[in-house]
Amino acid sequence: MAQLPAGVARPEYDRGQACGIVHFGIGAFTRAHQAAYTDACLAAGQKGWVIAGVSMRSASVADQLNPQDGLYTLTVRAAGQDDTRVIGAVGQVLVAGRDHADIAARIASPDCQIVTFTVTEKGYCRAPDGSLDMARAEEGFYPILCEALAARRDRGVAGLSLLSCDNLSGNGRQPNRLMLEWIDARTPDLRDWFMQNCSTPDSMVDRIVPASSDEDLDALEGRLGLRDEGAVFTEGFSQWVVEDDFAGPRPAWHDHGAQIVPDVTPYEAAKLRMLNGAHSLLAYAGLDHGYSFVHQAMADPELRSLVQQLMTSEAAPTIDAGEGQDLAAYAAELVRRFDNPALNHRLIQIAMDGSQKIGQRWLDTLAIQQARGHSCDAILTGLAHWLHHVSGDVRPVEDPQAETLRGVWRQAGAGGVVLAMFGKGGPIASDWTPTQADIAAIDGRLQSLR
């Protein structure tokens, strides 16, 4: 760190202090968001909040960060300007399969107060009906976490706050329900202790963090004179809204911009239906228009108009705004963020795992508007592009249900795929049932795409 240029801020606190947070899913988003908030707390003199990161699927982040003692740079990008600092909040990265015992011991330690998650929607291992898929859950965080919680109970250690930072509707309530399903099936005598001693606050996180490219890393190396394999790049905007429901101590994240509130619901709904819903529309439609990045798709007048329609006319009217929450201003801010050419946010990255995302991003809005007698032309357009994507005929599909979705296409064909996908018994369950008018609208767009 002593060799870094003078303008690069670096941690000056004791990085050998106690690990108070274990984080499952230590990807780029967490390193640009929760870890940055925690780094600010540590820099302000708070003690005991170093993060132990856990990689769930591969050792790549561990291989990037552990040789660097967990240090990495965070670069905030705006047009024509990069601002880089070193984040010191991550002490170590462990790998779920390889380091099971060490991870469980970290969580079972009295030093640990909070377990956080960014495992993506599919990381919660939900079956199509929303229940816990036990076979998939065996490979997830559930066995390690349950083992550690049982150890805390047996040793008389206090409970934990389990804080999801993923894009799930009710991202505190859902993990609570799923954890209880796992506990009931595997360690039923833990249920009462878990319910009495642990909490699962809802939260909403918002920051655009593209995957770092080799070109990004090369350019940063040229500017710093040092190589950072774990570097992350992000926008200036950052928002974190957390329900005030912790089982024990927490960092003073609120001193550094986080909002601790009684109810996260309106913020969560706006993020999922407006930001994430618009992102998914840009991803599938933008790829079909030949674009690679969000800002390129936003420059297309047709797609820009659809995004604005989705946010302001379709999604926003379904949200019961909280006190002081201005949804029109939020939509305008989102447009400005999507226009940022410095981020290079790849559409194919956003398009991943759509079967796990479109329910809360699109279908909830459709269901609410349908009950009011309204249709949603922009979202139906997005669904046509998503169906085109998951057919598997136009590009590789990264989705946990990729084979199932392709099978529905093969069996139902273009004329029946909408009802087969979203109707009763289909693989995409929701409260929305497509009407004949919806089916005709989607089919018409599909025909033009195919």
Short mmCIF file of all heavy atoms in Angstrom, two decimals, residues 316-364:
data_model
loop_
_atom_site.label_atom_id
_atom_site.label_comp_id
_atom_site.label_asym_id
_atom_site.label_seq_id
_atom_site.Cartn_x
_atom_site.Cartn_y
_atom_site.Cartn_z
N ALA A 316 -44.53 2.02 -10.91
CA ALA A 316 -44.70 3.01 -9.83
C ALA A 316 -46.12 3.03 -9.26
O ALA A 316 -46.29 3.14 -8.03
CB ALA A 316 -44.28 4.39 -10.32
N PRO A 317 -47.18 2.93 -10.08
CA PRO A 317 -48.54 2.97 -9.51
C PRO A 317 -48.86 1.77 -8.61
O PRO A 317 -49.85 1.81 -7.89
CB PRO A 317 -49.44 2.98 -10.75
CG PRO A 317 -48.59 3.53 -11.85
CD PRO A 317 -47.22 3.00 -11.56
N THR A 318 -48.05 0.72 -8.63
CA THR A 318 -48.30 -0.45 -7.78
C THR A 318 -47.63 -0.34 -6.43
O THR A 318 -47.79 -1.23 -5.59
CB THR A 318 -47.81 -1.74 -8.46
OG1 THR A 318 -46.36 -1.76 -8.48
CG2 THR A 318 -48.33 -1.87 -9.88
N ILE A 319 -46.85 0.74 -6.20
CA ILE A 319 -46.03 0.87 -4.99
C ILE A 319 -46.66 1.88 -4.04
O ILE A 319 -46.96 3.01 -4.43
CB ILE A 319 -44.60 1.31 -5.37
CG1 ILE A 319 -43.95 0.26 -6.27
CG2 ILE A 319 -43.76 1.54 -4.11
CD1 ILE A 319 -42.73 0.76 -7.01
N ASP A 320 -46.88 1.47 -2.82
CA ASP A 320 -47.39 2.37 -1.78
C ASP A 320 -46.18 3.08 -1.17
O ASP A 320 -45.51 2.56 -0.28
CB ASP A 320 -48.14 1.56 -0.72
CG ASP A 320 -48.81 2.44 0.32
OD1 ASP A 320 -48.87 3.66 0.12
OD2 ASP A 320 -49.26 1.89 1.35
N ALA A 321 -45.88 4.26 -1.68
CA ALA A 321 -44.65 4.96 -1.32
C ALA A 321 -44.59 5.26 0.17
O ALA A 321 -45.61 5.56 0.80
CB ALA A 321 -44.52 6.25 -2.13
N GLY A 322 -43.37 5.16 0.71
CA GLY A 322 -43.15 5.52 2.11
C GLY A 322 -43.06 7.02 2.28
O GLY A 322 -43.05 7.79 1.31
N GLU A 323 -42.97 7.44 3.53
CA GLU A 323 -42.89 8.87 3.84
C GLU A 323 -41.65 9.48 3.20
O GLU A 323 -40.53 9.00 3.41
CB GLU A 323 -42.85 9.06 5.36
CG GLU A 323 -42.87 10.52 5.77
CD GLU A 323 -42.91 10.69 7.28
OE1 GLU A 323 -43.08 9.67 7.99
OE2 GLU A 323 -42.74 11.84 7.75
N GLY A 324 -41.85 10.50 2.40
CA GLY A 324 -40.74 11.19 1.76
C GLY A 324 -40.19 10.48 0.53
O GLY A 324 -39.22 10.97 -0.07
N GLN A 325 -40.79 9.37 0.13
CA GLN A 325 -40.29 8.62 -1.03
C GLN A 325 -40.94 9.17 -2.31
O GLN A 325 -42.15 9.08 -2.49
CB GLN A 325 -40.61 7.13 -0.87
CG GLN A 325 -39.95 6.23 -1.91
CD GLN A 325 -40.30 4.75 -1.69
OE1 GLN A 325 -41.27 4.43 -1.02
NE2 GLN A 325 -39.48 3.87 -2.24
N ASP A 326 -40.14 9.73 -3.20
CA ASP A 326 -40.61 10.37 -4.42
C ASP A 326 -40.31 9.43 -5.59
O ASP A 326 -39.18 9.37 -6.08
CB ASP A 326 -39.91 11.71 -4.61
CG ASP A 326 -40.46 12.51 -5.78
OD1 ASP A 326 -41.00 11.90 -6.72
OD2 ASP A 326 -40.31 13.75 -5.77
N LEU A 327 -41.31 8.70 -6.05
CA LEU A 327 -41.10 7.69 -7.09
C LEU A 327 -40.79 8.31 -8.44
O LEU A 327 -40.02 7.73 -9.23
CB LEU A 327 -42.30 6.76 -7.18
CG LEU A 327 -42.59 5.92 -5.92
CD1 LEU A 327 -43.84 5.07 -6.12
CD2 LEU A 327 -41.40 5.04 -5.56
N ALA A 328 -41.35 9.46 -8.74
CA ALA A 328 -41.04 10.14 -10.00
C ALA A 328 -39.58 10.57 -10.03
O ALA A 328 -38.89 10.41 -11.05
CB ALA A 328 -41.96 11.34 -10.20
N ALA A 329 -39.11 11.11 -8.92
CA ALA A 329 -37.70 11.51 -8.85
C ALA A 329 -36.79 10.29 -8.91
O ALA A 329 -35.71 10.33 -9.52
CB ALA A 329 -37.45 12.30 -7.56
N TYR A 330 -37.22 9.19 -8.29
CA TYR A 330 -36.45 7.95 -8.33
C TYR A 330 -36.30 7.45 -9.77
O TYR A 330 -35.22 7.06 -10.20
CB TYR A 330 -37.14 6.91 -7.45
CG TYR A 330 -36.42 5.58 -7.34
CD1 TYR A 330 -35.11 5.50 -6.88
CD2 TYR A 330 -37.07 4.39 -7.67
CE1 TYR A 330 -34.46 4.28 -6.75
CE2 TYR A 330 -36.44 3.16 -7.54
CZ TYR A 330 -35.14 3.11 -7.09
OH TYR A 330 -34.51 1.89 -6.98
N ALA A 331 -37.41 7.48 -10.52
CA ALA A 331 -37.36 7.05 -11.92
C ALA A 331 -36.41 7.93 -12.73
O ALA A 331 -35.63 7.42 -13.55
CB ALA A 331 -38.76 7.08 -12.53
N ALA A 332 -36.46 9.22 -12.52
CA ALA A 332 -35.56 10.13 -13.25
C ALA A 332 -34.10 9.86 -12.89
O ALA A 332 -33.22 9.89 -13.76
CB ALA A 332 -35.93 11.58 -12.94
N GLU A 333 -33.84 9.59 -11.60
CA GLU A 333 -32.48 9.27 -11.18
C GLU A 333 -32.00 7.96 -11.81
O GLU A 333 -30.85 7.83 -12.23
CB GLU A 333 -32.43 9.17 -9.65
CG GLU A 333 -31.10 8.71 -9.06
CD GLU A 333 -29.98 9.71 -9.25
OE1 GLU A 333 -30.26 10.90 -9.52
OE2 GLU A 333 -28.80 9.31 -9.12
N LEU A 334 -32.90 6.98 -11.92
CA LEU A 334 -32.53 5.71 -12.55
C LEU A 334 -32.14 5.90 -14.01
O LEU A 334 -31.16 5.31 -14.48
CB LEU A 334 -33.69 4.72 -12.45
CG LEU A 334 -33.98 4.16 -11.05
CD1 LEU A 334 -35.20 3.26 -11.08
CD2 LEU A 334 -32.79 3.40 -10.50
N VAL A 335 -32.86 6.73 -14.72
CA VAL A 335 -32.52 7.00 -16.12
C VAL A 335 -31.12 7.59 -16.21
O VAL A 335 -30.31 7.19 -17.06
CB VAL A 335 -33.57 7.92 -16.77
CG1 VAL A 335 -33.08 8.42 -18.12
CG2 VAL A 335 -34.90 7.19 -16.92
N ARG A 336 -30.81 8.53 -15.32
CA ARG A 336 -29.47 9.13 -15.33
C ARG A 336 -28.39 8.08 -15.03
O ARG A 336 -27.32 8.08 -15.65
CB ARG A 336 -29.39 10.26 -14.31
CG ARG A 336 -30.15 11.52 -14.71
CD ARG A 336 -29.82 12.69 -13.81
NE ARG A 336 -30.32 12.52 -12.45
CZ ARG A 336 -31.54 12.88 -12.06
NH1 ARG A 336 -32.38 13.43 -12.93
NH2 ARG A 336 -31.92 12.71 -10.81
N ARG A 337 -28.68 7.19 -14.12
CA ARG A 337 -27.70 6.14 -13.77
C ARG A 337 -27.51 5.17 -14.93
O ARG A 337 -26.40 4.74 -15.22
CB ARG A 337 -28.15 5.41 -12.51
CG ARG A 337 -28.11 6.30 -11.27
CD ARG A 337 -28.86 5.68 -10.11
NE ARG A 337 -28.24 4.43 -9.68
CZ ARG A 337 -28.84 3.56 -8.87
NH1 ARG A 337 -30.08 3.79 -8.43
NH2 ARG A 337 -28.22 2.46 -8.52
N PHE A 338 -28.61 4.78 -15.57
CA PHE A 338 -28.51 3.86 -16.70
C PHE A 338 -27.74 4.48 -17.86
O PHE A 338 -27.13 3.77 -18.66
CB PHE A 338 -29.90 3.45 -17.20
CG PHE A 338 -30.72 2.64 -16.23
CD1 PHE A 338 -32.07 2.44 -16.44
CD2 PHE A 338 -30.15 2.07 -15.09
CE1 PHE A 338 -32.84 1.70 -15.57
CE2 PHE A 338 -30.91 1.32 -14.20
CZ PHE A 338 -32.26 1.14 -14.44
N ASP A 339 -27.77 5.79 -17.97
CA ASP A 339 -27.08 6.49 -19.06
C ASP A 339 -25.57 6.57 -18.86
O ASP A 339 -24.85 6.95 -19.79
CB ASP A 339 -27.62 7.92 -19.20
CG ASP A 339 -28.94 7.99 -19.96
OD1 ASP A 339 -29.21 7.08 -20.77
OD2 ASP A 339 -29.68 8.96 -19.76
N ASN A 340 -25.07 6.25 -17.67
CA ASN A 340 -23.66 6.43 -17.35
C ASN A 340 -22.77 5.58 -18.27
O ASN A 340 -22.76 4.35 -18.16
CB ASN A 340 -23.40 6.04 -15.89
CG ASN A 340 -21.98 6.32 -15.42
OD1 ASN A 340 -21.11 6.66 -16.21
ND2 ASN A 340 -21.75 6.17 -14.13
N PRO A 341 -22.00 6.18 -19.17
CA PRO A 341 -21.19 5.39 -20.11
C PRO A 341 -19.91 4.84 -19.50
O PRO A 341 -19.23 4.03 -20.11
CB PRO A 341 -20.86 6.41 -21.21
CG PRO A 341 -20.82 7.72 -20.48
CD PRO A 341 -21.87 7.63 -19.40
N ALA A 342 -19.58 5.29 -18.29
CA ALA A 342 -18.32 4.86 -17.68
C ALA A 342 -18.42 3.48 -17.05
O ALA A 342 -17.38 2.86 -16.75
CB ALA A 342 -17.88 5.88 -16.61
N LEU A 343 -19.64 2.96 -16.84
CA LEU A 343 -19.78 1.71 -16.09
C LEU A 343 -19.61 0.46 -16.95
O LEU A 343 -19.15 -0.57 -16.47
CB LEU A 343 -21.15 1.67 -15.40
CG LEU A 343 -21.27 2.48 -14.11
CD1 LEU A 343 -22.66 2.32 -13.52
CD2 LEU A 343 -20.22 2.05 -13.09
N ASN A 344 -20.05 0.51 -18.21
CA ASN A 344 -20.00 -0.69 -19.06
C ASN A 344 -20.64 -1.90 -18.37
O ASN A 344 -20.03 -2.95 -18.22
CB ASN A 344 -18.57 -1.00 -19.48
CG ASN A 344 -18.08 -0.09 -20.58
OD1 ASN A 344 -18.88 0.51 -21.30
ND2 ASN A 344 -16.78 0.03 -20.72
N HIS A 345 -21.91 -1.72 -17.94
CA HIS A 345 -22.65 -2.79 -17.29
C HIS A 345 -23.21 -3.72 -18.36
O HIS A 345 -24.07 -3.33 -19.15
CB HIS A 345 -23.79 -2.19 -16.46
CG HIS A 345 -24.35 -3.13 -15.45
ND1 HIS A 345 -25.42 -2.81 -14.65
CD2 HIS A 345 -24.00 -4.40 -15.10
CE1 HIS A 345 -25.71 -3.82 -13.86
NE2 HIS A 345 -24.86 -4.80 -14.13
N ARG A 346 -22.72 -4.94 -18.40
CA ARG A 346 -23.05 -5.87 -19.48
C ARG A 346 -24.48 -6.41 -19.36
O ARG A 346 -24.90 -6.88 -18.29
CB ARG A 346 -22.06 -7.04 -19.50
CG ARG A 346 -20.65 -6.61 -19.88
CD ARG A 346 -19.71 -7.79 -20.05
NE ARG A 346 -18.40 -7.34 -20.46
CZ ARG A 346 -18.05 -7.08 -21.72
NH1 ARG A 346 -18.93 -7.26 -22.69
NH2 ARG A 346 -16.84 -6.65 -22.00
N LEU A 347 -25.20 -6.37 -20.46
CA LEU A 347 -26.57 -6.88 -20.49
C LEU A 347 -26.61 -8.37 -20.21
O LEU A 347 -27.54 -8.86 -19.54
CB LEU A 347 -27.21 -6.57 -21.84
CG LEU A 347 -27.33 -5.09 -22.20
CD1 LEU A 347 -27.83 -4.93 -23.64
CD2 LEU A 347 -28.24 -4.35 -21.24
N ILE A 348 -25.65 -9.12 -20.69
CA ILE A 348 -25.66 -10.57 -20.49
C ILE A 348 -25.49 -10.92 -19.03
O ILE A 348 -25.99 -11.95 -18.55
CB ILE A 348 -24.57 -11.25 -21.37
CG1 ILE A 348 -24.85 -12.75 -21.51
CG2 ILE A 348 -23.17 -10.97 -20.83
CD1 ILE A 348 -26.10 -13.09 -22.27
N GLN A 349 -24.82 -10.05 -18.25
CA GLN A 349 -24.70 -10.26 -16.81
C GLN A 349 -26.07 -10.11 -16.14
O GLN A 349 -26.46 -10.93 -15.30
CB GLN A 349 -23.71 -9.26 -16.21
CG GLN A 349 -23.56 -9.36 -14.69
CD GLN A 349 -22.70 -8.23 -14.11
OE1 GLN A 349 -22.15 -7.41 -14.83
NE2 GLN A 349 -22.60 -8.18 -12.79
N ILE A 350 -26.82 -9.09 -16.54
CA ILE A 350 -28.15 -8.87 -15.97
C ILE A 350 -29.11 -9.98 -16.38
O ILE A 350 -30.03 -10.34 -15.63
CB ILE A 350 -28.69 -7.50 -16.42
CG1 ILE A 350 -27.75 -6.39 -15.96
CG2 ILE A 350 -30.10 -7.25 -15.88
CD1 ILE A 350 -28.04 -5.04 -16.60
N ALA A 351 -28.90 -10.56 -17.57
CA ALA A 351 -29.82 -11.56 -18.11
C ALA A 351 -29.71 -12.91 -17.41
O ALA A 351 -30.58 -13.77 -17.60
CB ALA A 351 -29.56 -11.75 -19.61
N MET A 352 -28.68 -13.12 -16.60
CA MET A 352 -28.51 -14.40 -15.91
C MET A 352 -29.67 -14.69 -14.96
O MET A 352 -30.23 -13.79 -14.34
CB MET A 352 -27.20 -14.40 -15.11
CG MET A 352 -25.95 -14.38 -15.93
SD MET A 352 -24.47 -14.03 -14.92
CE MET A 352 -24.64 -15.27 -13.63
N ASP A 353 -30.05 -15.97 -14.86
CA ASP A 353 -30.98 -16.46 -13.83
C ASP A 353 -32.34 -15.78 -13.87
O ASP A 353 -32.97 -15.54 -12.84
CB ASP A 353 -30.37 -16.28 -12.42
CG ASP A 353 -29.01 -16.94 -12.27
OD1 ASP A 353 -28.74 -17.90 -13.02
OD2 ASP A 353 -28.22 -16.48 -11.43
N GLY A 354 -32.82 -15.49 -15.07
CA GLY A 354 -34.09 -14.77 -15.20
C GLY A 354 -35.28 -15.49 -14.58
O GLY A 354 -36.19 -14.84 -14.07
N SER A 355 -35.28 -16.82 -14.59
CA SER A 355 -36.41 -17.54 -14.02
C SER A 355 -36.56 -17.26 -12.53
O SER A 355 -37.65 -17.39 -11.96
CB SER A 355 -36.26 -19.05 -14.25
OG SER A 355 -35.18 -19.58 -13.49
N GLN A 356 -35.47 -16.88 -11.87
CA GLN A 356 -35.49 -16.58 -10.44
C GLN A 356 -35.82 -15.11 -10.17
O GLN A 356 -36.04 -14.73 -9.02
CB GLN A 356 -34.12 -16.89 -9.82
CG GLN A 356 -33.56 -18.24 -10.17
CD GLN A 356 -34.40 -19.38 -9.61
OE1 GLN A 356 -34.47 -19.56 -8.41
NE2 GLN A 356 -35.04 -20.14 -10.48
N LYS A 357 -35.82 -14.29 -11.21
CA LYS A 357 -35.92 -12.84 -11.04
C LYS A 357 -37.22 -12.22 -11.53
O LYS A 357 -37.73 -11.29 -10.93
CB LYS A 357 -34.76 -12.15 -11.77
CG LYS A 357 -33.37 -12.51 -11.26
CD LYS A 357 -32.29 -11.89 -12.14
CE LYS A 357 -30.91 -12.19 -11.64
NZ LYS A 357 -29.86 -11.63 -12.52
N ILE A 358 -37.76 -12.73 -12.65
CA ILE A 358 -38.84 -12.00 -13.30
C ILE A 358 -40.14 -12.01 -12.49
O ILE A 358 -40.99 -11.15 -12.69
CB ILE A 358 -39.10 -12.49 -14.74
CG1 ILE A 358 -39.56 -13.95 -14.74
CG2 ILE A 358 -37.87 -12.29 -15.61
CD1 ILE A 358 -40.05 -14.42 -16.10
N GLY A 359 -40.28 -12.96 -11.56
CA GLY A 359 -41.48 -12.97 -10.73
C GLY A 359 -41.64 -11.68 -9.97
O GLY A 359 -42.68 -11.01 -10.04
N GLN A 360 -40.61 -11.28 -9.23
CA GLN A 360 -40.71 -10.07 -8.42
C GLN A 360 -40.42 -8.81 -9.21
O GLN A 360 -40.85 -7.71 -8.82
CB GLN A 360 -39.76 -10.17 -7.22
CG GLN A 360 -38.34 -10.47 -7.56
CD GLN A 360 -37.69 -11.42 -6.56
OE1 GLN A 360 -38.32 -11.83 -5.59
NE2 GLN A 360 -36.44 -11.76 -6.79
N ARG A 361 -39.72 -8.94 -10.34
CA ARG A 361 -39.41 -7.76 -11.14
C ARG A 361 -40.55 -7.38 -12.08
O ARG A 361 -40.77 -6.18 -12.32
CB ARG A 361 -38.14 -8.02 -11.97
CG ARG A 361 -36.91 -8.22 -11.12
CD ARG A 361 -35.64 -8.36 -11.94
NE ARG A 361 -34.49 -8.54 -11.08
CZ ARG A 361 -33.23 -8.36 -11.45
NH1 ARG A 361 -32.96 -7.99 -12.71
NH2 ARG A 361 -32.24 -8.54 -10.61
N TRP A 362 -41.26 -8.37 -12.62
CA TRP A 362 -42.29 -8.10 -13.62
C TRP A 362 -43.67 -8.64 -13.24
O TRP A 362 -44.68 -7.96 -13.36
CB TRP A 362 -41.90 -8.74 -14.97
CG TRP A 362 -40.78 -8.10 -15.69
CD1 TRP A 362 -40.24 -6.86 -15.46
CD2 TRP A 362 -40.05 -8.66 -16.78
NE1 TRP A 362 -39.21 -6.62 -16.35
CE2 TRP A 362 -39.08 -7.70 -17.17
CE3 TRP A 362 -40.11 -9.86 -17.48
CZ2 TRP A 362 -38.18 -7.92 -18.22
CZ3 TRP A 362 -39.23 -10.10 -18.53
CH2 TRP A 362 -38.27 -9.12 -18.90
N LEU A 363 -43.71 -9.90 -12.79
CA LEU A 363 -45.01 -10.57 -12.65
C LEU A 363 -45.83 -10.01 -11.50
O LEU A 363 -47.06 -10.00 -11.57
CB LEU A 363 -44.81 -12.08 -12.51
CG LEU A 363 -43.99 -12.75 -13.63
CD1 LEU A 363 -44.00 -14.26 -13.46
CD2 LEU A 363 -44.53 -12.36 -15.00
N ASP A 364 -45.17 -9.55 -10.43
CA ASP A 364 -45.92 -8.92 -9.34
C ASP A 364 -46.64 -7.66 -9.85
O ASP A 364 -47.80 -7.42 -9.52
CB ASP A 364 -44.99 -8.55 -8.18
CG ASP A 364 -44.54 -9.77 -7.38
OD1 ASP A 364 -45.08 -10.86 -7.61
OD2 ASP A 364 -43.63 -9.61 -6.54
#
